[in-house]
Amino acid sequence: MTDTTSITPAEAWRALDQLQAGFVVFTPDGGLLFANKMTRAHWPILYSSMDDGTRLHDAVGQQIRHLFPRLNEATFQVRQSLVMDAIQKCRDLDMVTATGRHVVASYSRLENGFVIGVAHDVTDIVKREVSLKDARRAALTASEAKSEFLATMSHEIRTPLNGIIGMSEALQHRELHHADREMVDTIVESSHSLLVLLNDILDLSRIEAGRLDISPVVANVRDRISCIKRTFAPVVRKKGLTLEVAFDPKLPEFLSLDTKRVRQCIDNLVFNAVKFTSTGGVTIAVLAGEMSRDGRVGVTVHVCDTGIGVPDEQRAKLFQNFEQGSETTSRKFGGSGLGLAISRRLARLMGGDITCTSNPGEGSVFSFSFEARLAEAPPETSPAPKSSHGRIAPSLRGLRALIVDDNEINRRVARAALEPRGLTVIDGSSGEEALAILANETVDFVLLDVHMPGMDGPETLKHIRESHESWSIIPVIALTADAMTGDRERYLDMGMDDYLSKPILERELLTVLSRVRSKLRTRSTLRVPTIGQISQDTTVGVNLQKLFLVASNT
């Protein structure tokens, strides 16, 4: 009868010899007591040498020489020391076997001085780690290549699109026959749709690459959302619909939020609601949640319509890339199917979400939630100049603008946008020509293309700022087709005063020019005398107060 309560030493040694992991026992004086089959397969020279009486230190050296015959003496000594140190001090050690396998050897010292070692084969784990690193490297390379491709394509598409939008918007301010105006309006609407699609693709790329940042600013939420009603008023009237906005009385007046991304999400929801509604109307309801102790407020914007609704089976696909529900809906109403997918991702980046409830044939409710923070009212700023259909914005009349761009169409577009507003336009096709114009003519601000052959925009800006001439502080606006994440900040860090992305849109142009106009007012009182002017004033000698007494009325 077999005794199941104990195990004999012989049975234990036999079991250890059959382990799939290496197992070894060293004596206190560095000899070999036991090495199982697996550990002997790992390092045959080491253990056969010790069987013949070679001490551990020398046997380790023989095994290393066998595995790595081309090692120089210094490297050999280091490897031998690492192995001996791991055994004597009972540390873990990554090792390579005679068969090229990767193992991790662990050692433990008993109270009587014997050292037990166990070696686990980790070759498959190492291969997986290498494979994951290679895959990650390949993914990063592919991501960088995609970003570079998108940046290049964005630049190349925006340049001709600048000519289409700029010239068609200029035509809108001309006296046109009804049929001609309809054609021009169609061109403008179509080119703006193409620009929206281009921006959507760039946004999707930024989100997928983790490069889209949320940038909160302080704003009046009621004013911002009320602007949306005014924006959609013409198309709502044309379709015979109503558009109403209601605000929760608990909604704080000023909040810190990313106004651009919040507006983008609401615009998309309202655009869809109006597009899919033929009778009735759309309601925007803005609700505020309870405020947390650290000033955070949950805001929910419900966009309700009386449109065609969304069947249950199609609702799950609404927030997927390039999905629009049914093929019939896509063919009838058009669109890229990116708006809702991007809006939901933006909402989640802002701590919220977008959800949908709907009854087919009765309408839908899209709920956009996001987190904001309570904020104080910002300092008052000058309103942007107003202009519509040829009316000149008074604050811009009489300014002299220098347009620097190697592309003639871009210069013509900028001229067509500025001259009807009472500005005098001078243009140049290179950085060198721009410097010559500034040296000989009076200019109030510069629209400077970034990418030009020869002296490009950044180099031209550097020459302007380092010129020590009266025009060294002239406001310079970066005019570029670069529209990737970080481009605006990069150009402002260079010393540009503002940034305008092509294609040039009328409302964005006026906003930027308004900011430039404010800077012109500020800088007009800060004329700095030259060193020559100071040195010629011998009545005061070295009176440093002269540096601070130069006023705008001199």
Side-chain angles (χ1 to χ4, degrees):
M1 183 173 180
T2 304
D3 183 2
T4 59
T5 62
S6 63
I7 183 171
T8 66
E11 290 173 329
W13 290 121
R14 281 197 300 271
L16 291 171
D17 198 42
Q18 301 302 315
L19 282 178
Q20 293 302 302
F23 184 86
V24 64
V25 181
F26 296 114
T27 61
D29 60 354
L32 177 64
L33 176 65
F34 175 79
N36 72 352
K37 292 179 182 178
M38 184 58 70
T39 201
R40 287 180 179 276
H42 287 163
W43 300 290
I45 302 297
L46 168 62
Y47 296 113
S48 63
S49 298
M50 294 192 73
D51 287 339
D52 294 337
T54 304
R55 307 312 295 170
L56 178 60
H57 180 274
D58 296 330
V60 167
Q62 291 176 20
Q63 183 67 73
I64 292 174
R65 286 294 189 192
H66 181 78
L67 289 174
F68 309 103
R70 297 183 180 181
L71 284 183
N72 59 44
E73 185 61 27
T75 306
F76 166 76
Q77 294 290 345
V78 169
R79 294 204 175 194
Q80 188 179 33
S81 297
L82 285 173
V83 175
M84 294 304 300
D85 189 62
I87 296 173
Q88 293 168 355
K89 297 181 180 179
C90 297
R91 294 175 178 172
D92 291 350
L93 182 65
D94 292 339
M95 305 176 73
V96 178
T97 71
T99 56
R101 307 289 290 181
H102 291 267
V103 299
V104 175
S106 301
Y107 299 94
S108 177
R109 187 180 300 277
L110 303 179
E111 291 183 359
N112 59 7
F114 283 81
V115 175
I116 295 177
V118 179
H120 297 282
D121 191 324
V122 295
T123 304
D124 293 339
I125 296 175
V126 171
K127 287 182 178 179
R128 282 197 296 271
E129 289 179 349
V130 171
S131 178
L132 287 173
K133 287 180 180 178
D134 290 342
R136 183 176 183 275
R137 190 180 302 112
L140 288 174
T141 301
S143 178
E144 290 173 359
K146 183 176 74 171
S147 296
E148 184 177 348
F149 170 77
L150 286 172
T152 301
M153 290 307 300
S154 171
H155 185 278
E156 295 303 320
I157 294 173
R158 284 173 184 275
T159 299
L161 192 57
N162 183 50
I164 297 171
I165 291 181
M167 289 306 185
S168 56
E169 285 190 341
L171 275 176
Q172 283 184 314
H173 299 301
R174 302 286 184 89
E175 293 294 333
L176 300 173
H177 294 296
H178 178 71
D180 293 338
R181 180 164 296 283
E182 282 189 343
M183 287 189 286
V184 171
D185 289 345
T186 300
I187 294 172
V188 172
E189 183 178 345
S190 299
S191 57
H192 277 266
S193 297
L194 180 58
L195 180 59
V196 169
L197 176 59
L198 178 61
N199 289 335
D200 281 348
I201 293 173
L202 291 178
D203 277 345
L204 183 62
S205 173
R206 292 165 182 159
I207 293 171
E208 290 180 343
R211 296 177 179 174
L212 194 148
D213 297 323
I214 299 301
S215 304
V217 296
V218 177
N220 186 313
V221 183
R222 286 181 173 83
D223 287 349
R224 293 282 179 170
I225 296 179
S226 295
C227 286
I228 296 175
K229 180 179 179 179
R230 293 193 291 272
T231 300
F232 283 92
V235 66
V236 168
R237 284 196 301 269
K238 185 176 180 180
K239 294 189 70 173
L241 304 175
T242 61
L243 177 58
E244 301 297 334
V245 180
F247 294 98
D248 186 343
K250 296 188 301 182
L251 182 70
E253 184 176 8
F254 291 97
L255 291 172
S256 176
L257 68 162
D258 190 325
T259 55
K260 177 182 177 181
R261 298 305 177 183
V262 168
R263 173 69 186 262
Q264 182 177 347
C265 292
I266 300 176
D267 273 353
N268 186 268
L269 297 181
V270 175
F271 177 81
N272 286 341
V274 173
K275 181 169 70 171
F276 293 110
T277 301
S278 57
T279 60
V282 177
T283 300
I284 305 172
V286 186
L287 305 180
E290 296 298 325
M291 187 182 304
S292 65
R293 291 183 177 180
D294 60 353
R296 285 181 298 173
V297 180
V299 180
T300 303
V301 181
H302 299 289
V303 178
C304 317
D305 65 65
T306 57
I308 61 175
V310 184
D312 292 342
E313 64 273 13
Q314 296 176 9
R315 205 176 308 159
K317 300 193 299 181
L318 286 178
F319 299 100
Q320 298 175 10
N321 296 338
F322 304 105
E323 289 288 349
Q324 287 188 296
S326 69
E327 292 185 6
T328 303
T329 300
S330 179
R331 287 195 298 268
K332 181 177 180 180
F333 294 97
S336 65
L338 280 175
L340 284 176
I342 292 172
S343 294
R344 167 171 270 188
R345 296 193 188 192
L346 290 175
R348 289 177 174 176
L349 285 174
M350 292 184 286
D353 201 354
I354 295 182
T355 58
C356 170
T357 58
S358 182
N359 290 320
E362 297 181 11
S364 305
V365 178
F366 283 82
S367 301
F368 161 46
S369 61
F370 62 93
E371 276 193 353
R373 286 186 178 274
L374 185 65
E376 296 181 356
E380 291 188 6
T381 56
S382 302
K386 305 293 183 181
S387 179
S388 175
H389 297 287
R391 288 205 300 258
I392 298 173
S395 63
L396 302 176
R397 185 190 297 272
L399 294 182
R400 293 172 61 84
L402 171 59
I403 313 300
V404 188
D405 197 309
D406 62 299
N407 187 301
E408 182 183 358
I409 292 178
N410 290 338
R411 298 198 302 273
R412 290 172 60 187
V413 167
R415 182 181 290 275
L418 295 176
E419 285 184 337
R421 291 165 177 82
L423 290 88
T424 299
V425 177
I426 310 165
D427 61 36
S429 60
S430 66
E432 294 86 351
E433 188 176 354
L435 296 176
I437 292 172
L438 288 172
N440 293 284
E441 301 212 30
T442 301
V443 175
D444 292 303
F445 66 89
V446 180
L447 276 170
L448 180 63
D449 184 32
V450 173
H451 300 289
M452 295 184 293
M455 185 184 294
D456 61 9
E459 187 178 353
T460 304
L461 176 69
K462 182 179 179 182
H463 279 79
I464 292 173
R465 297 294 184 237
E466 295 178 356
S467 67
H468 302 297
E469 301 291 343
S470 58
W471 40 269
S472 65
I473 61 172
I474 190 171
V476 179
I477 302 166
L479 182 61
T480 175
D482 295 340
M484 299 297 285
T485 300
D487 285 336
R488 174 184 175 83
E489 292 73 16
R490 180 158 54 91
Y491 293 130
L492 294 182
D493 288 343
M494 285 181 188
M496 300 285 188
D497 292 271
D498 220 312
Y499 167 95
L500 196 57
S501 174
K502 299 174 186 174
I504 301 173
L505 303 180
E506 178 180 313
R507 62 181 181 275
E508 293 179 0
L509 174 66
L510 294 179
T511 300
V512 169
L513 293 184
S514 176
R515 290 198 293 261
V516 168
R517 181 60 170 166
S518 299
K519 290 182 179 182
L520 284 172
R521 292 195 187 100
T522 302
R523 293 180 183 183
S524 66
T525 63
L526 297 175
R527 298 198 186 100
V528 180
T530 65
I531 297 298
Q533 291 171 332
I534 295 176
S535 63
Q536 292 172 7
D537 192 346
T538 57
T539 60
V540 294
V542 190
N543 186 351
L544 295 181
Q545 289 183 350
K546 277 286 183 180
L547 292 173
F548 306 99
L549 294 178
V550 180
S552 60
N553 57 359
T554 59

